[in-house]
Amino acid sequence: MMKNRKLFGMLLISVLLLINIPQLCAQQRIELTLSKCLQMAVDNDSRIRVALMENEKVRAGKMETIGNGLPQISASGQFQDYLKLPTQLLPGEFFGQPAGSLIPVQFGTNYNMSGGIQVSQLIYSQSYLTAIQISNRLLAKNELDVEKNKQNVIFDVAQLYLVSLLTESQLKYMNDNLGKIDSLAALAQSHYDNGYLKKVDVDRIKVSRINLLSEIQNLSIMMDQQLNMIKYFAGIKLQDSLVLTESINDLASLMPASLTTDNHIDLQLLDNQKQLAILQMRMVRSECMPSLVFFGDFSYNSQQNEFGKLFSESESWLGTSVIGLSLKVPIFSGMSKYYKLSQARVQKNQISLMRDYSKTLIDTQVKSAVDKLTSARQQSQAQNENVKLASEVYNVIYEQYKQGFAPLTDLLNASTALITAQSGEIQAIAQMKIAELELCKATASLSTMLKN
């Protein structure tokens, strides 16, 4: 019985291994630079995909509008079987009957069949020409929407990438300091064994080490969460291993090439909306203008009292052909077009005011981003000097402690100060990069980051 259980257990383990081997083999190590990460996020983002699909729909709508001005051809056919012929009343005088009498008379044949082709071609319609212009503007607007969504994705993912680099650098410094704490713990234990140090001092070092390990663990969890979010945006499988190949210190400058805001995406969208409002006004005016259409109708019909003769006597089919022009001239629409035009005019004025407001707001955002970047650069320089000083102080006190000239409290304080300075320096560098990123957003130049 025991032997059977062992065999069953080994068989179960083998099956589980066979099931998991393909999954293990499917794992990949993926290395990402910032630009590659952004490109993958742009290619994978559902908002951009939806906007691109909308682009296809608008383009199809434009072709539909163009198709309305191309030749329109249709065919028609009809077969009628009069179970009872229609009856009309004729004056009796026609048949020699007394005046005022009515005689019922049936007209027509039992079977009627007809078929024909109708052709029309729009010759002139200002509404049609304006509708094509509106379609072009709608297509341009949707392309701007795609670019707007792309810039939003780039900003969100770039910010996440920078925060992940910050966390990664903090982890590196924490692990470096853990090595220093371990060396200090070994030295303290030696001093304690030789009777030069109290146990309480050894315990204080252990407490510092435990606190540092806790911070490292929290940062590791945070790093995993941030990498998982990057995988989500970039369309990478969760089981794949992700490595960010750049560091926060070596990352190239994200500064935009120019601080001009004249071609800002938000301003382009408002300009497009204004042009649409102008075209809408033009559309209302065009509805008051004449339109001219060419038409043609070519048909044949046959009328017989016997069903078979509809097909056997070709000479009984009688043809009719007509061509002509149809002119439509609007005269009065109950003032509806006047008020429709008024609405479009108000909308155009609203958009003009919104553009002025947006331009002022964008310029303010650019100035704020520049000020923030200047401050971040100053902070980065100051923190860099602070790290150098904290490192020198720690090294001096560590040597003094080894020789017994400095108390443990001073060394622990120096270690804490060094960790704080290093963390402050990394955060200052990250804030500087984020300020550069916000400046790119304010100037709507985020798309250039895909080419870096």
Side-chain angles (χ1 to χ4, degrees):
M1 185 69 177
M2 194 69 176
K3 186 177 181 180
N4 291 336
R5 287 182 178 176
K6 289 183 178 180
L7 289 174
F8 178 75
M10 294 176 63
L11 179 61
L12 181 60
I13 292 173
S14 301
V15 171
L16 290 175
L17 286 174
L18 288 174
I19 292 175
N20 290 324
I21 282 175
Q23 296 181 359
L24 293 173
C25 294
Q27 292 181 358
Q28 299 181 20
R29 173 186 167 91
I30 298 178
E31 298 181 353
L32 286 185
T33 62
L34 176 58
S35 59
K36 183 178 179 181
C37 179
L38 296 179
Q39 187 62 61
M40 291 178 66
V42 167
D43 294 339
N44 183 69
D45 189 78
S46 58
R47 291 171 293 180
I48 297 177
R49 289 183 178 180
V50 169
L52 289 173
M53 290 179 183
E54 184 67 22
N55 216 3
E56 294 179 8
K57 187 170 71 173
V58 173
R59 189 175 287 108
K62 174 186 174 181
M63 297 309 299
E64 178 188 5
T65 301
I66 293 176
N68 292 331
L70 299 179
Q72 309 294 310
I73 303 174
S74 62
S76 61
Q78 188 179 50
F79 169 75
Q80 295 175 318
D81 180 1
Y82 282 98
L83 301 178
K84 187 176 182 179
L85 292 175
T87 301
Q88 293 185 357
L89 298 177
L90 298 179
E93 293 92 326
F94 291 172
F95 304 96
Q97 299 296 321
S101 62
L102 296 174
I103 305 299
V105 178
Q106 290 183 321
F107 288 95
T109 57
N110 292 331
Y111 302 102
N112 298 326
M113 182 177 289
S114 62
I117 296 178
Q118 296 78 40
V119 179
S120 65
Q121 171 62 57
L122 179 66
I123 297 178
Y124 173 78
S125 172
Q126 187 59 46
S127 298
Y128 171 74
L129 299 176
T130 306
I132 294 178
Q133 292 178 315
I134 291 177
S135 297
N136 289 330
R137 278 292 165 186
L138 288 174
L139 186 59
K141 174 187 176 299
N142 202 72
E143 290 173 350
L144 290 173
D145 288 337
V146 172
E147 179 63 24
K148 177 73 172 178
N149 284 320
K150 184 185 296 184
Q151 295 206 14
N152 289 337
V153 171
I154 291 174
F155 180 79
D156 293 340
V157 177
Q159 196 170 35
L160 177 59
Y161 191 97
L162 292 176
V163 172
S164 299
L165 291 182
L166 169 62
T167 305
E168 189 177 52
S169 296
Q170 288 177 324
L171 265 174
K172 179 180 179 299
Y173 281 128
M174 288 293 181
N175 284 314
D176 290 344
N177 285 305
L178 180 62
K180 294 178 181 178
I181 291 289
D182 289 338
S183 298
L184 179 59
L187 179 62
Q189 185 65 43
S190 175
H191 286 178
Y192 172 73
D193 293 339
N194 293 322
Y196 301 134
L197 197 65
K198 297 178 182 180
K199 186 178 185 302
V200 66
D201 292 330
V202 176
D203 292 340
R204 289 175 62 188
I205 296 176
K206 291 180 179 179
V207 170
S208 296
R209 186 178 187 280
I210 291 173
N211 290 336
L212 188 57
L213 281 173
S214 178
E215 291 185 31
I216 290 175
Q217 184 179 11
N218 291 334
L219 283 174
S220 298
I221 294 173
M222 188 183 302
M223 185 69 189
D224 289 340
Q225 293 173 342
Q226 292 166 354
L227 290 179
N228 286 337
M229 287 301 299
I230 291 178
K231 290 178 184 179
Y232 166 76
F233 282 113
I236 299 172
K237 297 177 182 179
L238 283 176
Q239 64 264 28
D240 290 340
S241 173
L242 178 60
V243 178
L244 307 183
T245 58
E246 294 174 300
S247 68
I248 195 73
N249 292 299
D250 301 330
L251 194 65
S253 174
L254 306 179
M255 278 289 293
S258 173
L259 299 183
T260 179
T261 60
D262 294 337
N263 294 323
H264 196 283
I265 188 69
D266 291 342
L267 299 182
Q268 291 185 57
L269 282 167
L270 288 170
D271 289 339
N272 190 277
Q273 290 180 23
K274 184 176 180 180
Q275 290 300 318
L276 280 172
I278 293 174
L279 287 173
Q280 189 61 42
M281 294 169 59
R282 191 177 300 171
M283 174 64 79
V284 176
R285 293 191 184 100
S286 67
E287 291 174 356
C288 302
M289 301 178 67
S291 61
L292 184 64
V293 177
F294 165 82
F295 67 89
D297 193 335
F298 310 93
S299 61
Y300 285 88
N301 67 85
S302 177
Q303 302 177 14
Q304 298 290 340
N305 284 320
E306 297 181 18
F307 181 78
K309 291 183 178 181
L310 289 174
F311 306 97
S312 62
E313 298 184 7
S314 58
E315 65 275 6
S316 65
W317 285 86
L318 306 176
T320 302
S321 301
V322 60
I323 60 172
L325 296 174
S326 175
L327 178 66
K328 182 180 179 182
V329 183
I331 296 177
F332 183 69
S333 61
M335 300 295 289
S336 63
K337 290 184 175 57
Y338 171 80
Y339 292 108
K340 193 174 180 180
L341 184 62
S342 298
Q343 294 177 57
R345 186 180 295 111
V346 171
Q347 184 180 9
K348 179 179 75 71
N349 295 335
Q350 287 175 327
I351 295 172
S352 296
L353 289 175
M354 289 174 60
R355 192 191 189 283
D356 294 339
Y357 169 79
S358 297
K359 182 67 166 64
T360 303
L361 179 61
I362 290 169
D363 290 340
T364 303
Q365 291 173 340
V366 170
K367 185 179 184 306
S368 298
V370 170
D371 293 342
K372 183 177 179 179
L373 178 57
T374 302
S375 176
R377 285 174 174 171
Q378 294 173 351
Q379 288 291 326
S380 178
Q381 294 174 357
Q383 289 295 334
N384 181 263
E385 294 297 325
N386 196 27
V387 169
K388 292 179 181 178
L389 291 175
S391 181
E392 291 175 1
V393 169
Y394 175 83
N395 292 332
V396 169
I397 295 179
Y398 182 76
E399 291 298 324
Q400 292 177 349
Y401 175 77
K402 286 172 61 178
Q403 298 172 12
F405 298 129
L408 179 62
T409 301
D410 290 351
L411 184 58
L412 292 177
N413 289 339
S415 176
T416 302
L418 177 59
I419 294 174
T420 302
Q422 290 171 338
S423 177
E425 180 189 28
I426 292 300
Q427 290 182 7
I429 294 174
Q431 287 299 320
M432 184 175 66
K433 294 300 179 183
I434 290 176
E436 292 176 352
L437 182 65
E438 291 177 349
L439 188 56
C440 285
K441 181 180 180 182
T443 55
S445 55
L446 287 165
S447 295
T448 57
M449 296 176 62
L450 299 176
K451 303 174 183 179
N452 291 338

